[in-house]
Structures are given as C-alpha cells and as structure tokens.
Amino acid sequence: MPDHDTLLARVRKLLAKAEDPAVTEAEAESYNTKAAELIARYGIDQALLAASGATADEITQIMIPLDNPYSRDKAGLLTNIAHPLRCRALLHRLGQSVTAVTVFGFRSDLERTELLYTSLLLQATTQLTRVRPENRVFAGESLAAYRRTWLHGFSGAVYERLRNSEDTAARTHPAAAGHRSAELVIQDRTAMVKQAYDEQYGDLRSAPPRRLSGSGYLDGHSAGERANLNTTGITGRRRALPVR
C-alpha cells in the first residue's frame, strides 16, 4: 500500500487535473472519482492494518460544533459523510438549530470524516453565497428555501459518491494470503460500531424526516457531483477528542 505522503501526492495531482480549465467536464469528473477512490482505499488499508494487529484503531467519538445559518443542513452534510465511512452521527439540538454533532466510529474513519466535512463544507458554503433561485418554477420562492434544498442536494450527491467509492474499495481490494478479505473486515467493523453505538445511545429515537420546500435540490446535487473530495490533511495524525 502507498505511504501517506505518496497517497496525498497522488490525490493532489488528480484534483489539480480536475481543476484545470482545459479539461472537459467528463475528464474532471473522472479525476475527482479517482481521487475519491484513493481516499477510500486509504480507509480500507487502515482497517486491514488494525484487523491484523499492526496498528491500533479504537472506537471513539468526536464532537463537531455547528453554527447558523443552516445548521440543520450542515448537520445533514456531516451525517451523509459519516455514514458511508461507517460512522454514526448524533445531533445535539437547541430548538430548531443543531449546535453540534457527535460522530461515533473507529478513529481512522473519524479522521477521514472530519477532514472531508471541513473541506466539503467550505466548498458548499462558498458556492452558497452565489446561488439564487432565478427563473424558478416556484413563484415567490425565498432564498433561504432554495439554499436549504441546494444543500440537501449537495449532501445527497456526496453520500452517493462516498458510498460508491467505499463499496468499490472494499470489493476490489486484493486479499493477502492467510488474511480475511477487505469486505469481511469492513462488515465486522461496521457491526462493531453499531453494537457500541447501540450500547451507548440505543435508547435515543431517530428524528422524523424533514419536509423541505424549494427548488434547489438538482442544482445542489450537480454541485455535489463536481465537488472535490479533498483531504489535504490526510497525513496529519490528529487525535480524536472525547466528548465533553
């Protein structure tokens, strides 16, 4: 497997190609997809190292604070990143706002979740300042309603891309002689996270689905399909902080 620096260099090279104005939209999508696959492969490598006993990778949790505006939609983005990476998310609410999200999972997956969320939130909010519900079919649509559905679409596309990348990485990772396949290791880790989460938070109820009005979903989904899954800090060994 590539070391951290080699992997990071490859990811940066692919993302730089995707951002080159000379490439076509299809080529840019291809480069972004390959970068996502490399990041997913990194997660599988870390899981296999932990399963073999070569490294320690414990189940823990981090709390990520959120702020308004659109705190519930930001929480949706974080949740849609966490779940494909085999983590669980617990929302902390104050009235209609979400003040923080506790993310629960293996340390290496928490690191990837936090890094991806930081990058993708920056990309989304930068674009959000420019989008407008112009020429929409809904007469009198508010900017806030459009932006909420835009973020919902962006988060949905990110979820789909990460899920596909993670599934592909686990399915195609070559099995070492005498070791379990990556798919079985990932299944075990997913079950372990679920069991640990249920033991600690199993008595909590899921929030009902939101009903959003607005026409921004497709525009946001398209932006999420083009977003860079850029984890430039992947080499940093940040320590997951306990929830206080």
Side-chain angles (χ1 to χ4, degrees):
M1 69 185 68
D3 61 31
H4 292 167
D5 291 338
T6 300
L7 174 68
L8 180 58
R10 292 172 65 186
V11 169
R12 283 176 171 164
K13 185 176 181 180
L14 287 166
L15 293 175
K17 289 181 177 180
E19 294 170 357
D20 188 336
V23 305
T24 67
E25 184 173 336
E27 289 172 331
E29 182 178 353
S30 175
Y31 290 135
N32 278 327
T33 298
K34 183 60 178 178
E37 290 172 355
L38 286 176
I39 294 167
R41 177 65 178 269
Y42 170 83
I44 300 299
D45 288 341
Q46 295 303 304
L48 292 176
L49 285 171
S52 69
T55 61
D57 196 9
E58 62 184 343
I59 294 177
T60 183
Q61 55 193 7
I62 57 174
M63 179 180 284
I64 299 177
L66 303 180
D67 53 19
N68 282 315
Y70 309 113
S71 63
R72 295 176 69 183
D73 308 288
K74 294 173 183 176
L77 173 61
L78 179 50
T79 299
N80 278 353
I81 294 169
H83 282 184
L85 272 55
R86 301 172 292 281
C87 298
R88 294 299 187 96
L90 173 66
L91 276 59
H92 301 269
R93 294 177 176 270
L94 181 62
Q96 294 299 312
S97 299
V98 178
T99 59
V101 175
T102 293
V103 189
F104 190 92
F106 279 96
R107 188 179 300 275
S108 63
D109 293 328
L110 292 177
E111 290 175 353
R112 292 194 301 146
T113 297
E114 187 173 16
L115 290 167
L116 279 167
Y117 174 68
T118 301
S119 173
L120 288 165
L121 179 63
L122 177 61
Q123 294 178 60
T125 54
T126 298
Q127 294 180 66
L128 206 60
T129 62
R130 300 193 298 265
V131 298
R132 294 289 187 277
E134 298 173 355
N135 301 319
R136 299 293 148 189
V137 295
F138 300 112
E141 177 183 5
S142 72
L143 180 60
Y146 174 82
R147 286 178 170 174
R148 279 193 292 268
T149 50
W150 190 97
L151 280 169
H152 186 54
F154 184 93
S155 300
V158 165
Y159 173 85
E160 293 165 7
R161 290 177 62 191
L162 289 175
R163 182 193 60 192
N164 291 337
S165 296
E166 294 293 316
D167 289 348
T168 299
R171 187 175 62 253
T172 61
H173 196 291
H179 293 274
R180 292 180 300 159
S181 69
E183 285 185 289
L184 290 178
V185 170
I186 294 306
Q187 288 175 13
D188 286 348
R189 284 166 66 94
T190 302
M192 291 168 66
V193 170
K194 182 180 185 304
Q195 180 179 353
Y197 180 88
D198 289 344
E199 289 174 356
Q200 189 161 348
Y201 299 114
D203 57 338
L204 298 178
R205 293 183 300 175
S206 300
R210 294 176 66 193
R211 294 184 177 179
L212 296 176
S213 61
S215 63
Y217 181 89
L218 291 179
D219 291 341
H221 194 277
S222 178
E225 290 179 327
R226 299 190 304 271
N228 285 341
L229 301 183
N230 183 354
T231 53
T232 56
I234 202 169
T235 58
R237 308 305 298 162
R238 297 182 58 186
R239 183 177 180 183
L241 298 177
V243 176
R244 297 177 179 177

